[in-house]
Amino acid sequence: MRESRQRSVIRERIDHIGTSTAARGYGSTVESIFAFLFKYRPVVFEKGQFVLGAAGFMRVAAIVAGVLALAAIATYMRTRPRGGERQRFVLGGLRAAVVLLLLFALLRPMLLVSAAVPQRNVVGVVVDDSRSMQIADLDGRTRADAVRALLGGRDSSLFKSLGERFVVRLFRTGAAGDRVNAVADLTWDGTRTRLAPALEGVRQELDGVPLSGLVLVSDGADNSGGALTETLSSLRARHVPVFTVGVGRERFAQDIEISRIDAPREVLEGASLVVDASVVQRGYGGQQAELVVEDSGRIVSTEKFTLPSDGEVASVRTRVPTIAAGARPLTFRIAPLPGELVTENNTQRALVVVNDRREKILYIEGEPRFELKFLRRAVESDENLQVVTLLRTAKDRFLRLSVDDSLDLLSGFPKSRDELFAYKGIVLGSIEASYFTLDQLRMLADFVGTRGGGLLMLGGRQSFAEGGYAGTPLAEVLPVELTAGREGDPAFDEIRVELTPAGARHATTQIAGTEAESAERWKTMPPVSTVNRIARTRPGAQTLLTGTSVDGDGKHIVMAFQRFGRGKSIALAIQDSWLWQMHADVPVDDQSHESFWRQTLRWLVSDVPGRVNVMATSDRAAPGEPVTLSAEVADAAFLRVNSAEATASVTSPSGVVQEVPLEWSVTRDGEYDVAFTPVETGVHRVEVSARVGGDTVASAPAFVEVGDVTNEFFGAELRASLLRRVAEETGGRYYTPETVDALAGDLVYTEGGNTVVERLDLWDMPIIFLLLLGLLAGEWALRRRRGLA
């Protein structure tokens, strides 16, 4: 009796859905028309299984009736209408279509669908409670107001329709899907939208109950960084569909956003930062704006620019002058313009660590020449660069300069990885490849690829292919292609150096106050010479400087670089850059040569990892938000080790030190991680010490700024595509507040929870009646027209 009653209730509600779709305004116009013609909404056909319900006797009767009807159709074949053969076939076809439709109805077609038993299943409703839900983009109403209208109380539209069929439980996206009693309890102050952990957390919370599905109400602005793919696959495998409701506008009429800041994470003290800000806008194309850069509240740079066309990205480059050592929180801001809906995304922050340390570079030169002398002179006043030099003065005899100890490099170029890897950068002057052993050449390749160091090869008669480097382990490391057979075959050419488009924007080639001034200065630089014929770069390499022969049309690659493994390699194929300082046309006080070499060598050793490197998942977090620290640990040969004992020391702004042990991540060699939760606002200093065998090695400090996080306001337009993906990949559907009335009815057809199989008749679909009427009317009209009626 109880089962029969449940079935009758379900049947009554299904029939109600089928017969009153248009009146209740379900779905879009297309879906309403579909439901009117085919009796049920598209979701019923998606979820149902088509069968024929006629009994055996009825099937036989239908077949007999069909045979008799076909016999009647054959009478058309004996008629001779005025239209001839064509007219006879048209009339026969119309009569055949009528017969087939009647046969289809007599066979009693139906759909078998699984339907949730009323009030015997649970639906989890997950509400986005992040700060972006406070945006008032719905005709003056906030997105949170729209959610309150849908779920704010038991009489609200969505809550009421769901409550009639299911047991409803509410959750929020913050803190991995916490349970809430009512929407009124939400504060809409979540700093991040965490869709993946929220959905997985809710599924686990409801794992022991009959779950029909989840309803996610959100703007889709997922910025937690968590991958959705695994979570969606898990939900699909467990037959837990997610029905998504998108709230908000997909396009803002007027908005300016600093979408990205490209700034170095670390620089040496005294460096001038070149930062690129990516700006997108809508509704202000062609207007003037100003990018303001602040360091701890003090304006350090401004840059005026023209806003691009709607949807386009403007890259605004600004130069930030020398800033003091330490962790510098830089603020990039564009003043709001009239009519902006969201102003929080006009400001971005970047944490730049300015290091006051001395980086060691090993420069080996095969012969005395001016290039060595003037290169060292250009950087001798830079306290953050130490150019240790090996100058060959005779066979197997070297002059050592700027060494730390009298025993350093006593036997020449390092013969062990430990000794070589103590440096951050290597400069190879005019010295032939045959000077090095095969093991040393392999160590140089590993210095770049494994250790992550920087390698710079200078032009000269014993460099590149002319020095016999083609076919050696170092050939693949270099950013230019070397031609075999060039050894000892130098080709002199005097060239004028020119900037490429990439070089015009690269920080290393900025030898004047602005990009425009720098480009003009390069045009007046004296000619230099090359003896290395380099025509092509490797795929993926980038060319910064090219050269044109003074007395001809010869083209040369002057400066190129590429990333190789963990490090970088640079080729500078000229032999007398010192002319940029000593040429008669160069003013005495001109600093172009010095600026070029200081910036080049600082770039050479930038981002070079140590034996222990620590990084936070984000350099900015909200108070109380967990931050994951990840550390890589290597031995003296920079081979990653899994048996280290690593501990993170976190120093808060007030000086409180917290020791946190790290655990090996298991998934990657040499990687250790741990999470800590900062409470104080301000910049937290993180250092990791690791014990590897008998050695204890400390990392360079990393920093995390804790304060107000505005991530929710970036890319804050409704991301309907992401919400559709969530629905489609789990077997659910996507709705808007205008179409959400259909959600509860669609959720009935689910494979999860307590369900019963229902038989939904299709023989009485309006489309069948309309087709029959149309076919019969068409046949009658045609017969009347041809004189057969």
Side-chain angles (χ1 to χ4, degrees), residues 360-366 369 371-372 375-376 379 385-391 413-414 420 423-431 436 444 447-448 453-459 463 469 474 478 568 570-572 574 597 600-605:
K360 290 178 65 174
I361 300 172
L362 176 59
Y363 179 5
I364 181 168
E365 183 62 75
R369 58 178 185 159
E371 192 72 346
L372 168 64
L375 185 154
R376 287 179 54 84
V379 300
L385 294 175
Q386 179 185 357
V387 182
V388 179
T389 305
L390 272 175
L391 171 61
F413 191 80
L420 181 64
Y423 296 91
K424 293 289 187 71
I426 304 291
V427 178
L428 298 181
S430 182
I431 186 166
F436 303 101
L444 280 169
F447 176 83
V448 181
L455 175 70
L456 169 63
M457 180 173 281
L458 303 179
S463 300
Y469 285 93
L474 208 55
L478 295 172
K568 71 171 75 71
I570 307 170
L572 184 63
I574 54 176
W597 275 112
T600 298
L601 294 185
R602 282 171 171 258
W603 175 40
L604 181 69
V605 296

Side-chain angles (χ1 to χ4, degrees), residues 505-527:
R505 296 181 61 82
H506 201 276
T508 298
T509 58
Q510 303 305 307
I511 56 177
T514 65
E515 281 188 15
E517 292 172 356
S518 180
E520 289 301 316
R521 181 69 188 101
W522 276 105
K523 293 178 182 178
T524 63
M525 296 286 272

Side-chain angles (χ1 to χ4, degrees), residues 741-761:
D741 286 346
L743 191 155
D746 292 347
L747 235 173
V748 168
Y749 309 108
T750 180
E751 298 179 12
N754 295 321
T755 62
V756 293
V757 176
E758 286 297 317
R759 298 171 179 265
L760 306 182
D761 287 327

Side-chain angles (χ1 to χ4, degrees), residues 417 421 445-453 564-567 609 637-639:
R417 292 167 65 99
F421 288 6
D446 289 343
F447 176 83
V448 181
T450 303
R451 191 255 185 272
F564 184 84
R566 302 182 72 192
F638 279 79
L639 300 175

Side-chain angles (χ1 to χ4, degrees), residues 502-665:
R505 296 181 61 82
H506 201 276
T508 298
T509 58
Q510 303 305 307
I511 56 177
T514 65
E515 281 188 15
E517 292 172 356
S518 180
E520 289 301 316
R521 181 69 188 101
W522 276 105
K523 293 178 182 178
T524 63
M525 296 286 272
V528 290
S529 66
T530 179
V531 293
N532 306 110
R533 290 175 291 183
I534 299 174
R536 293 185 300 275
T537 58
R538 289 189 172 276
Q542 197 169 37
T543 303
L544 303 181
L545 298 173
T546 58
T548 303
S549 300
V550 172
D551 55 356
D553 297 328
K555 284 288 188 180
H556 298 267
I557 294 171
V558 173
M559 189 176 193
F561 78 96
Q562 74 171 358
R563 300 296 304 186
F564 184 84
R566 302 182 72 192
K568 71 171 75 71
S569 65
I570 307 170
L572 184 63
I574 54 176
Q575 63 175 351
D576 47 13
S577 69
W578 57 271
L579 288 173
W580 292 338
Q581 182 181 32
M582 297 303 294
H583 195 277
D585 295 339
V586 178
V588 175
D589 59 350
D590 188 275
Q591 294 292 306
S592 300
H593 179 261
E594 288 86 344
S595 296
F596 173 76
W597 275 112
R598 280 198 296 268
Q599 290 165 183
T600 298
L601 294 185
R602 282 171 171 258
W603 175 40
L604 181 69
V605 296
S606 65
D607 302 321
V608 176
R611 287 180 54 187
V612 179
N613 303 284
V614 60
M615 176 179 282
T617 50
S618 174
D619 58 10
R620 186 167 179 80
E625 179 183 356
V627 176
T628 299
L629 301 176
S630 179
E632 293 181 352
V633 181
D635 59 16
F638 279 79
L639 300 175
R640 296 186 179 185
V641 294
N642 299 329
S643 58
E645 298 177 6
T647 303
S649 178
V650 183
T651 305
S652 70
S654 64
V656 177
V657 178
Q658 179 184 4
E659 299 286 342
V660 186
L662 284 80
E663 298 290 338
W664 177 39
S665 66

